[in-house]
Every structure is written in C-alpha cells, then in structure tokens.
Amino acid sequence: MSIVDRKESEVRALLDTAHPLVPPYLAERTIRQGRRVLGRRRVAKYTFWLLAAAVVIGLAVWAGVSDAWVEPADTTTPDFTDW
Amino acid sequence: MGKRRAIQEQERAREFESFVAGAAGRLLHTAQLLTSEPPGAAPAAERLLTAALARTYARWDRLHGEDPYETARQELISRFAHLGWRFRRTSGGLLDRLTPQERLVLVLRLYEGVAEEQTAAALGLPPERVHAILVGATSTILSRPATARRRAPRPEGATT
C-alpha cells in the first residue's frame, strides 16, 4: 500500500464510527416542510405567470390606443399643383 | 381529481418515510462530520439534514429513478457549501481543525467514497484542486498527537 493509501485508510477508520441517533419524527417533520417548499414554489410560479399575463395584456391595450406610429397631421396646407 | 392527488400524496409520503428510515442515520453522520459537531450535540447538522430531506421530498416526483440517497446528499452538500463561512466555527467534532472546504472534500472522498471526478463536479472545483485539498486535509487530521486522537469508548465494567 502506498503511503497515500495508508493515510487515507487511517482517516477512513477514524471517520467510520457508529451512526448517530436520528431525531424522532424526522420523516413527518421533513414531509411537512417539503410540502411547504412545494406550496411556496407554486405561489411563486402563479405570481410570475400572472404578472407576465398582465404585462402582455397591458402592452396589447397600449398598442391598441396608442398613436405612436401614426404620422402627425400636417400643420400647414400642402401645395396642390393640379385642381 | 382531488382524491387521486391525495392518494399519490400518500404513496409519496410512504416511499419517503421508508427512505428516511433507511438513510437518515448515515446522512446525519455525514452532516455531523461536515459541521464537526460531536455526536449527541449536533443541532447545526440536524438543521442541515432536515432542510436537505425537505427539499428531497419536494423533488420526489421529479426524481425519475435517480437515487434519492444521492439527491439528499447533494442537497446536504449544496446547502453546506452555500452557507460556507458560517461553519468555520466548530465545537468539538472530529474534523475541528479543518476548514469547511477541507471537511467537504475529506468527507465526500473518504467517508462517502465519492470518486475524485464526481467530487470535483459536485463542488464545482477542478479535480486537481480536490486532490490537493484532500492531501492537505489528510495530513492535518493525521498530524494530531497520538494522545489527542479520539479513542473508542471503553465498554462498561472495564478495569483498565
């Protein structure tokens, strides 16, 4: 065994003790917490899509009523050359 | 529709419970080594584990055959790495003398037995860096004077 391997084995042996005691009701608590995580994500998702829809609708309405791309009316009478 | 979802929820919870029953001990052990807290007094490790398991449950439907143990372990690692500097202070665990990053590499490589390439990928580090950190951490751990090394607890009634 190389020196490196021996050192690694020694550390492995140091770490390889018995597992600690698991706190009680761990599964139940983490399931509840996990459901809250899912709930929060769902709210965030709906909020995002609601905002996105609002932005799109707002843009569409603005585009409908805006005259931003219509040429302004003439302020002086144009020259008519043939009557 | 609601009933079907309730049944799926129950099924998911049952699978998750049996997963926790089998894997929690080892995951908590890993967490304790990372936070370097002594067994029996490891609140930070328990918080890490709880958060990792909660997020694993949240992802249960999207696992699609992935090993839930590796998922939970990765959640543990990500959270530990993300909270990084908070774990610089230690309280009497085995790996007290290591930095959080050294503990991460040592525990992954030598306790969890993850190969160098996968460890590098999991931590977002180049493999050479992982190797260097491991060499340093190993030396630090083994350089403790023999009397300071943790000895196995003596059985009850031993006379020596």
Side-chain angles (χ1 to χ4, degrees):
Chain A
M1 224 194 247
S2 71
I3 292 181
V4 172
D5 287 341
R6 211 171 340 121
K7 282 188 170 178
E8 292 190 355
S9 301
E10 218 178 315
V11 175
R12 276 198 198 97
L14 265 176
L15 302 178
D16 201 15
T17 56
H19 291 327
L21 277 175
V22 172
Y25 308 112
L26 186 64
E28 290 168 28
R29 283 189 291 123
T30 52
I31 285 175
R32 252 182 290 138
Q33 217 171 306
R35 287 197 184 129
R36 263 181 279 153
V37 170
L38 282 172
R40 278 201 299 265
R41 284 187 195 160
R42 207 175 296 137
V43 167
K45 197 171 51 158
Y46 285 160
T47 310
F48 170 77
W49 285 114
L50 204 65
L51 277 174
V55 166
V56 168
I57 291 171
L59 267 175
V61 167
W62 171 82
V65 303
S66 166
D67 285 340
W69 41 77
V70 172
E71 273 187 34
D74 286 348
T75 49
T76 58
T77 312
D79 283 334
F80 284 109
T81 48
D82 56 305
W83 287 88
Chain B
M1 176 69 146
K3 184 148 191 208
R4 182 158 54 94
R5 194 148 4 130
I7 292 175
Q8 282 175 350
E9 182 81 50
Q10 263 180 33
E11 191 55 47
R12 198 187 312 153
R14 233 174 307 171
E15 288 175 6
F16 181 76
E17 272 167 28
S18 75
F19 161 67
V20 169
R26 180 155 159 211
L27 284 169
L28 182 57
H29 195 165
T30 300
Q32 264 181 27
L33 288 172
L34 287 176
T35 60
S36 195
E37 290 167 305
E46 290 185 7
R47 279 196 301 270
L48 258 183
L49 175 67
T50 308
L53 286 176
R55 293 171 71 94
T56 303
Y57 181 71
R59 289 183 55 182
W60 201 258
D61 282 344
R62 286 179 281 150
L63 281 182
H64 304 307
E66 282 169 40
D67 183 5
Y69 181 83
E70 289 191 8
T71 304
R73 183 178 64 197
Q74 187 58 47
E75 293 283 356
L76 207 60
I77 292 164
S78 302
R79 192 171 179 84
F80 180 82
H82 179 66
L83 296 176
W85 59 274
R86 276 183 234 190
F87 293 109
R88 237 183 301 134
R89 274 180 299 114
T90 59
S91 45
L94 265 175
L95 305 180
D96 263 4
R97 296 163 72 201
L98 299 182
T99 67
Q101 192 186 51
E102 288 178 317
R103 277 178 252 152
L104 207 39
V105 170
L106 190 95
V107 169
L108 271 177
R109 290 284 290 118
L110 299 186
Y111 180 68
E112 286 283 332
V114 180
E116 194 174 87
E117 291 287 334
Q118 276 100 294
T119 304
L123 303 184
L125 292 171
E128 309 80 44
R129 181 102 183 88
V130 168
H131 180 79
I133 294 171
L134 182 63
V135 167
T138 309
S139 304
T140 307
I141 286 296
L142 293 178
S143 70
R144 290 160 71 164
T147 50
R149 272 197 215 150
R150 191 165 298 239
R151 289 199 208 94
R154 296 215 187 95
E156 293 277 335
T159 49
T160 40

